[in-house]
Amino acid sequence: MAATLVIEGGAKLKGEVWISAAKNAALPQMCASLLTEAPLILENVPDLADVATIGKLLAGLGTRITADGSGRMALETPGLVGHEAPYDLVSTMRASVMVLGPLVARSGRARVALPGGCAIGLRPIDLHLKGLAALGAEITLNQGYVEAQAQGLRGARIRFDLVTVTGTENLMMAAVLAEGTTVLENAAREPEVVDLAHLLAKMGAKIEGAGSDRIEIEGVKELGGAQHRILPDRIEAGTYLMAGAITGGTVTVRGAIRDDMPAVLAKLEEAGATLETGSELVRVVGPERPRPTDFVTAPFPGFATDMQAQMMTLLGLADGESVVTETVFENRFMHVAELRRMGARIETEGNRAVIRGVERYLGAPVMATDLRASASLVLAGLAATGITVVSRVYHLDRGYERLEEKLGKLGASIRREP
Ligand code: UD1
């Protein structure tokens, strides 16, 4: 029987919460272990289902992983014993495709299941493959698997047709061991891309420009070990800020890096929240009632698509009409139907959602459909009158570490039931 979260709404959240390390930085950084025989020490690794999934995948490829329970993880890949990312892992977590670049770079060979459709859209990996082909890999499709082979990769100029985060990371990891210079244009500028570049540089890679849309990589013969502390999770931080705002509470989010979340902070203020920022800290004081505002999701430094559902939930209680435009994923409004069951008035057409704010949400049984949609239902439950039961909590466990414990410490009435 899958777990549920039972939330009794109405408490104004108060206090301090510590943000875990970014899931979307931990996953590629763990994959970077495939690039070297030397040990990699990652600190602050979050205890999440997705981290366990990538660990399982890496173990099958020859990586020895030891974790001591304190967030410190040692990864060592003395030799590759496999070169495949099987369908059962890729289908539960698309980020598994990030073994492709490092495997081809280290051994000239990889076989990775095509992800197929996922709840929030088609999410193809054509740009990853096009880039690898430009680096000299031969790509074939066989039985739902992509097979890549190369006799040594060569640097190339690669211009992405659209901004892809894991695509940028995958090609960065392929290019670090390629012969010559690779230039990635229209590259993703997300903080997690920058953090991966920091780790790779510590391992001996030559990378310039991470954080801009042009990344230049000069290949090296081999990489060594490194020790790295993973950056805090800006999406988790943003979610707790929304939790403070939507309950009209006062929440200090420690580990929130202001510069990693400019658009979300700007929109929170437009919605009437008062913010105070410090070194790795953002404090929110929620408004009496949120004000309406429009926003458009976009690659960094734009408004993160991973915060869209949470912001929409806040605006669902605003005094007026807001319009949300989702430009990154084509099918990312699944939370809308569930929010409506709680009394929200939201209409969607294509990639636009029009929200007419209501005064309150009403508790209801709702079903989580994907990671961030689930977070939005929890937020709605915190603000709602009465009891909300969120089922399919495993979606939340992919990306939020000890969610009910952290919210509980802020004064929320929330408990997990089997
Ligand atoms: C990453 C994040 C995810 C976030 C997303 C957008 C990780 C592990 N996941 O996902 O949480 O929501 O960035 O910020 O870091 N696309 C193509 N072809 C490709 C690759 C992507 O058409 O080869 C499209 C996708 O369908 C999507 C858009 O590009 O419409 C952006 O996707 P992308 O940035 O690649 O998302 P992910 O890296 O999968």
Side-chain angles (χ1 to χ4, degrees), residues 347-384:
E347 305 291 332
T348 60
E349 200 191 319
N351 70 340
R352 265 165 49 103
V354 177
I355 308 162
R356 264 169 284 134
V358 293
E359 258 175 66
R360 67 181 63 83
Y361 292 137
L362 304 168
V366 287
M367 202 187 288
T369 50
D370 72 62
L371 173 53
R372 306 306 169 182
S374 328
S376 76
L377 300 178
V378 171
L379 293 178
L382 292 173

Side-chain angles (χ1 to χ4, degrees), residues 24 94 123-128 162 164-166 306 328-329:
N24 287 352
R94 213 179 151 278
R123 303 182 89 178
I125 58 164
D126 54 318
L127 302 176
H128 302 229
L162 44 93
T164 161
V165 178
T166 51
D306 285 351
V328 180
F329 291 114

Side-chain angles (χ1 to χ4, degrees), residues 7-287:
I7 305 162
E8 194 176 334
K12 283 182 192 281
L13 300 194
K14 228 184 177 95
E16 222 176 71
V17 61
W18 282 89
I19 292 312
S20 303
K23 165 180 88 73
N24 287 352
L27 302 179
Q29 290 181 27
M30 288 172 71
C31 292
S33 163
L34 296 172
L35 291 165
T36 175
E37 294 174 4
L40 215 60
I41 312 283
L42 296 178
E43 288 165 14
N44 202 26
V45 180
D47 182 14
L48 297 170
D50 275 9
V51 167
T53 303
I54 209 104
K56 199 169 145 192
L57 172 58
L58 292 175
L61 298 172
T63 307
R64 296 184 201 138
I65 302 180
T66 43
D68 64 4
S70 73
R72 188 184 154 95
M73 180 184 275
L75 302 102
E76 197 170 348
T77 316
L80 294 173
V81 301
H83 58 273
E84 178 172 313
Y87 183 60
D88 60 328
L89 292 181
V90 180
S91 61
T92 53
M93 192 188 62
R94 213 179 151 278
S96 309
V97 302
M98 275 188 296
V99 299
L100 189 55
L103 280 178
V104 179
R106 171 114 169 236
S107 72
R109 195 168 166 214
R111 189 166 182 268
V112 172
L114 272 177
C118 82
I120 63 173
L122 279 173
R123 303 182 89 178
I125 58 164
D126 54 318
L127 302 176
H128 302 229
L129 301 180
K130 211 167 136 186
L132 268 183
L135 294 176
E138 194 183 309
I139 311 279
T140 48
L141 187 65
N142 189 3
Q143 297 274 308
Y145 278 74
V146 168
E147 294 179 358
Q149 267 187 327
Q151 312 286 47
L153 297 173
R154 291 178 314 275
R157 178 177 158 268
I158 296 164
R159 186 173 173 82
F160 290 103
D161 295 333
L162 44 93
V163 177
T164 161
V165 178
T166 51
T168 301
E169 292 165 342
N170 220 343
L171 289 172
M172 237 163 68
M173 288 192 279
V176 286
L177 290 179
E179 196 187 318
T181 306
T182 298
V183 177
L184 303 178
E185 291 175 355
N186 199 24
R189 296 152 66 187
E190 268 66 5
E192 293 75 21
V193 172
V194 179
D195 207 44
L196 174 64
H198 285 324
L199 169 70
L200 293 171
K202 286 182 188 172
M203 293 166 70
K206 295 187 175 156
I207 305 182
E208 272 177 31
S212 77
D213 62 0
R214 186 179 184 282
I215 302 178
E216 192 169 324
I217 302 149
E218 204 184 309
V220 295
K221 285 237 148 49
E222 60 176 25
L223 294 175
Q227 184 159 348
H228 185 69
R229 188 171 178 81
I230 303 169
L231 92 167
D233 196 314
R234 63 196 163 98
I235 308 299
E236 189 195 14
T239 303
Y240 283 100
L241 289 173
M242 297 285 170
I246 202 169
T247 59
T250 302
V251 173
T252 302
V253 180
R254 292 208 174 258
I257 302 175
R258 182 186 53 200
D259 294 346
D260 285 354
M261 40 198 312
V264 165
L265 296 186
K267 286 296 160 185
L268 265 171
E269 283 186 321
E270 280 177 33
T274 308
L275 299 178
E276 222 179 284
T277 61
S279 161
E280 297 212 359
L281 167 163
V282 179
R283 181 174 299 122
V284 64
V285 181

Side-chain angles (χ1 to χ4, degrees), residues 336-351:
V336 168
E338 299 300 303
L339 287 174
R340 278 205 199 128
R341 305 191 58 248
M342 300 180 69
R345 286 196 304 167
I346 305 174
E347 305 291 332
T348 60
E349 200 191 319
N351 70 340

